């Protein structure tokens, strides 16, 4: 996400500061707006990451092959609306995670942490970790809803949730409060490294774009271009953690709220597409 606070420039002139509460509202709002457009990508990503879970290559059917083919597969199986599966949970996650993340990062900047050597990376990582923890239940539900599809195209375990509220209530009744934070151990490092990479590279990428003078210096396109360049670094470092996080969130649990054995998970994932 390209939205972040401008860092105070060294020297006698201090840039205008933004209140942490304003950062919270603006950051959460911008990320929720972006979520509407990126949610179809999340649906495709979730299914690609669940496909072949804990199975050797060549031993499972590949329903999803590459981005465009996967989009077509989702539309054929679930209709156009299938590309927006889990949107409500995604909006909730973005609001919670990024609201907390930008608020905490803004507080760190006001405290002067970002001006210390390596402070931007540390502040971004800590803010991201806190945001990921707060938003984890929403991401858990989002993952499980986005994995849902017709039996012939199913990958990973299929959770029978009907809505966000139904999913939260079911998890609460079956697994208790701790169940809502199941998988958070994979989400925290995921957002930590992504947030640190984003907040550490965005300002530099934006400054580089300005130096090239491709765009008017005060144009919003400068921030957009800087954010797009920064996103390359974010995706590169986040993807391995993202795969792990998705699979942890989508794991099935038994009646006692325990994750079954690896053999049972493999059998469940393999049998899904055959039904």
């Amino acid at each position: 996400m390209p939205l972040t606070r401008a860092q105070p420039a060294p020297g006698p002139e201090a840039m205008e500061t933004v209140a942490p509460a304003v950062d919270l509202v603006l950051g959460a709002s911008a990320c929720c707006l972006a979520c509407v457009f990126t949610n179809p990508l999340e649906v495709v990503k979730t299914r690609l990451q669940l496909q072949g879970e804990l199975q050797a290559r060549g031993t499972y059917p590949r329903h999803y092959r590459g981005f465009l083919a996967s989009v077509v597969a989702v539309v054929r199986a679930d209709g156009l609306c299938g590309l927006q599966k889990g949107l409500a949970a995604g909006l909730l996650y973005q609001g919670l995670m990024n609201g907390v993340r930008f608020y905490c990062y803004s507080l760190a900047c006001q405290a002067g942490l970002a001006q210390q050597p390596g402070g931007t990376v540390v502040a971004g990582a800590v803010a991201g970790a806190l945001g990921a923890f707060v938003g984890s239940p929403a991401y858990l539900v989002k993952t499980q809803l986005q994995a849902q599809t017709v039996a012939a195209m199913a990958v990973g375990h299929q959770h029978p949730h009907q809505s966000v509220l139904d999913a939260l209530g079911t998890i609460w009744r079956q697994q208790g409060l701790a169940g809502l934070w199941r998988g958070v151990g994979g989400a925290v490092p995921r957002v930590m490294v992504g947030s640190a990479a984003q907040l550490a590279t965005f300002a530099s990428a934006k400054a580089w774009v300005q130096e090239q003078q491709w765009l008017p210096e005060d144009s919003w396109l400068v921030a957009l271009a800087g954010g797009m360049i920064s996103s390359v670094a974010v995706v590169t470092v986040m993807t391995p953690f993202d795969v792990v996080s998705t699979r942890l969130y989508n794991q099935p649990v038994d009646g006692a709220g325990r994750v079954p054995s690896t053999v049972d998970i493999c059998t469940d994932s393999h049998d899904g597409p055959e039904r």
Side-chain angles (χ1 to χ4, degrees):
M1 304 294 175
L3 179 64
T4 186
R5 293 181 71 251
Q7 299 302 312
E13 300 110 285
M15 296 182 68
E16 182 181 356
T17 58
V18 179
V22 176
D23 263 342
L24 185 155
V25 174
L26 292 179
S29 300
C31 293
C32 285
L33 178 62
C35 179
V36 176
F37 298 97
T38 61
N39 193 66
L41 307 182
E42 285 288 311
V43 174
V44 171
K45 175 181 70 70
T46 297
R47 298 192 185 178
L48 285 170
Q49 290 175 340
L50 290 174
Q51 184 169 249
E53 182 179 13
L54 300 179
Q55 298 177 52
R57 182 181 293 273
T59 63
Y60 57 89
R62 292 184 62 191
H63 302 299
Y64 305 97
R65 298 172 179 267
F67 171 67
L68 292 178
S70 297
V71 170
V72 173
V74 171
V75 172
R76 285 178 175 173
D78 305 315
L80 281 174
C81 291
L83 291 172
Q84 289 291 9
K85 277 181 177 286
L87 177 60
L91 291 171
L92 178 60
Y93 171 73
Q94 293 294 339
L96 290 172
M97 191 275 287
N98 283 296
V100 171
R101 184 169 72 105
F102 280 105
Y103 181 78
C104 293
Y105 184 74
S106 183
L107 288 178
C109 288
Q110 285 195 352
L113 177 60
Q115 282 69 58
Q116 304 302 318
T120 300
V121 175
V122 173
V126 173
L130 292 172
F133 181 83
V134 173
S136 186
Y139 201 91
L140 169 70
V141 172
K142 180 184 82 72
T143 300
Q144 295 181 1
L145 289 175
Q146 289 178 339
Q148 289 179 348
T149 186
V150 297
M153 297 294 289
V155 289
H157 182 74
Q158 299 290 288
H159 296 268
H161 305 313
Q162 300 299 315
S163 65
V164 175
L165 291 178
D166 175 62
L168 292 172
T170 299
I171 295 170
W172 173 278
R173 289 190 299 271
Q174 294 180 351
Q175 305 169 45
L177 181 63
L180 293 173
W181 270 268
R182 184 170 58 84
V184 70
V188 168
R190 168 187 175 272
V191 180
M192 279 183 69
V193 297
S195 181
Q198 177 195 18
L199 296 173
T201 59
F202 173 72
S204 300
K206 181 181 175 183
W208 182 81
V209 172
Q210 289 175 325
E211 290 174 1
Q212 305 309 307
Q213 298 182 343
W214 294 330
L215 301 166
E217 184 175 353
D218 297 330
S219 172
W220 60 272
L221 292 173
V222 173
L224 177 63
M228 293 177 68
I229 295 172
S230 174
S231 67
V232 176
V234 175
V235 171
T236 300
V237 299
M238 276 187 67
T239 296
F241 298 93
D242 203 28
V243 175
V244 172
S245 180
T246 297
R247 294 186 176 185
L248 285 174
Y249 277 135
N250 197 60
Q251 285 184 117
V253 294
D254 59 22
R258 295 187 298 266
V259 177
S261 68
T262 302
V263 174
D264 293 335
I265 294 176
C266 290
T267 302
D268 178 72
S269 299
H270 179 73
D271 289 345
E274 302 295 327
R275 291 193 298 269

